[in-house]
Amino acid sequence: MRALSMYEGGRFELEEIPIPERPPGWALIRSIASAAGLFQAQMAAGMLDTNGFPRILGHEIIGEVVEVSSDAAPQRGTIVVVDAVVGCGVCEWCIRGDEMICPWMRHLGINIDGGYADYAIVPESHIFRIAPETPITEAVMLGSALPASVHATRRSPVRGGSKVIVTGVGSIGLTLCQVVKAMGATTVVAVDVSDARLEAAGPWIDGAVNVSGLEPAQADDLVLEAVGSTHGADVVFEAAGRVMSVDLAIRTVRRGGTVLLMGICDGPTSLSFDSYLAEFLSREVSLVTTFGFNRQDFVVGNALHAAGDLDLTALTGATVTLEQVPAALERIAREGTDGKRLVVDVAIP
């Protein structure tokens, strides 16, 4: 089969390798599509340990079932989306359904081979049927952006009537705006430094603030004005991965409110306060970290999408082939993604 293998130093080679053997309890999937975005560019730059080389990236996997063992799993010929988070299955976290924080967790496309190949092996328990008529460009977004947004929302106290701020409306933030609306939020304000990304979020938000070039106090005032409450929002999702964005989130959440930290701030990070007591401790603000997703999030996210509550086409960028992925990732590393994920059409020879 064809495989886009990554070697040490972020070097890629499109090569012919044997189809992987399927262990017991795993499924053989014919890859149809995956995605390419900032995360894959960061992987190529060495952000995370791949557990050896070569490694096949691509944690979003849409594919067709070729072979399974269990009668309970989607059967041969079924189009599925794959949950890339693989827990050990036996620890206390996995038993609770929290495999994304399993200390022995592995991840397809990071330290297990992923979807940048004609075939992939994945746990049978991690494949979810999707409607055959679902456009592939949308289906790919079911594999990461949507379950991650559902997971963060489920970890938050968002309910009917909630006022919500989302800082950073890239692919995750844009999805979050839709998910929190679908789950009851009545006011959603998006914060970013790009007018284009804020405009893309327009159908699902009630206010937008471009904080580019603003002093922190100015940014705070504009965000609170957009929320319609000087007390702040009930919940703030930090999806930009910037310390300044985390600071803004803490300052614009109400007393007793919750900040969900989703964005990845690469490298050493610290928060500072002019008055730790007055600005943070006495306000009883909850800081909640959220990372990845679990299998329940696929069930919820796929149901929201099937019901027509979400428009995932807003997340999708251009379509590229496996051969074009290395150049695309170099471009993303230089120029960013403008809030979209490329669709990798693996099925194109």
Side-chain angles (χ1 to χ4, degrees):
M1 70 173 186
R2 296 174 310 144
L4 183 64
S5 301
M6 185 179 77
Y7 288 82
E8 192 168 7
R11 177 175 61 87
F12 288 91
E13 286 189 16
L14 186 59
E15 52 193 8
E16 291 284 335
I17 65 173
I19 294 174
E21 295 186 10
R22 181 177 66 86
W26 287 56
L28 178 65
I29 302 294
R30 181 182 67 83
S31 298
I32 296 173
S34 188
L38 182 60
F39 183 79
Q40 284 78 19
Q42 292 170 328
M43 284 293 301
M47 182 182 73
L48 293 175
D49 182 10
T50 61
N51 192 29
F53 295 98
R55 178 63 63 220
I56 300 172
L57 303 187
H59 65 280
E60 295 107 333
I61 304 175
I62 299 298
E64 179 184 0
V65 176
V66 175
E67 189 176 22
V68 291
S69 299
S70 172
D71 292 338
Q75 297 297 294
R76 180 182 178 89
T78 305
I79 305 301
V80 295
V81 60
V82 176
D83 174 4
V85 176
V86 183
C88 72
V90 296
C91 71
E92 59 183 287
W93 292 277
C94 287
I95 290 171
R96 289 197 299 257
D98 293 331
E99 54 263 30
M100 67 285 171
I101 52 175
C102 164
W104 299 274
M105 183 266 284
R106 297 178 297 160
H107 202 294
L108 296 164
I110 296 179
N111 46 29
I112 312 176
D113 287 339
Y116 288 178
D118 287 330
Y119 292 90
I121 52 170
V122 303
E124 292 180 358
S125 57
H126 285 52
I127 55 178
F128 298 86
R129 180 182 288 103
I130 60 175
E133 65 273 13
T134 305
I136 292 302
T137 52
E138 287 189 54
V140 166
M141 302 307 153
L142 299 174
S144 177
L146 179 55
S149 299
V150 169
H151 186 72
T153 305
R154 292 177 64 223
R155 282 181 57 75
S156 80
V158 167
R159 57 179 62 89
S162 292
K163 294 179 182 291
V164 173
I165 297 169
V166 177
T167 70
V169 282
S171 57
I172 292 290
L174 186 58
T175 312
L176 265 171
C177 290
Q178 300 187 50
V179 171
V180 296
K181 273 285 189 180
M183 292 192 174
T186 52
T187 301
V188 179
V189 172
V191 179
D192 205 292
V193 295
S194 165
D195 285 335
R197 289 196 290 267
L198 291 169
E199 184 178 350
W204 306 285
I205 61 177
D206 305 285
V209 180
N210 187 327
V211 295
S212 178
L214 298 182
E215 293 296 324
Q218 292 177 293
D220 295 350
D221 289 343
L222 289 175
V223 171
L224 292 174
E225 181 181 348
V227 171
S229 171
T230 57
H231 302 299
D234 301 298
V235 184
V236 183
F237 293 88
E238 197 294 308
R242 298 287 185 272
V243 174
M244 291 177 62
S245 179
V246 177
D247 287 340
L248 184 145
I250 293 172
R251 293 192 306 265
T252 56
V253 73
R254 67 166 174 79
R255 289 176 175 270
T258 302
V259 175
L260 274 291
L261 302 177
M262 295 187 69
I264 299 174
C265 298
D266 194 21
T269 302
S270 61
L271 301 175
S272 60
F273 303 91
D274 291 333
S275 171
Y276 177 77
L277 174 62
E279 297 175 17
F280 184 61
L281 187 68
S282 65
R283 295 171 60 217
E284 292 201 343
V285 171
S286 297
L287 294 184
V288 179
T289 62
T290 176
F291 180 79
F293 36 77
N294 60 29
R295 284 172 283 174
Q296 296 174 41
D297 300 313
F298 278 80
V299 174
V300 174
N302 290 357
L304 289 174
H305 182 255
D309 293 331
L310 310 173
D311 177 10
L312 301 182
T313 60
L315 317 180
T316 58
T319 296
V320 297
T321 65
L322 277 180
E323 188 175 17
Q324 295 169 328
V325 165
L329 294 182
E330 289 180 4
R331 187 169 60 253
I332 288 170
R334 291 193 310 269
E335 304 171 8
T337 65
D338 202 24
K340 296 182 182 292
R341 298 189 183 190
L342 302 180
V343 177
V344 181
D345 193 331
V346 181
I348 295 177

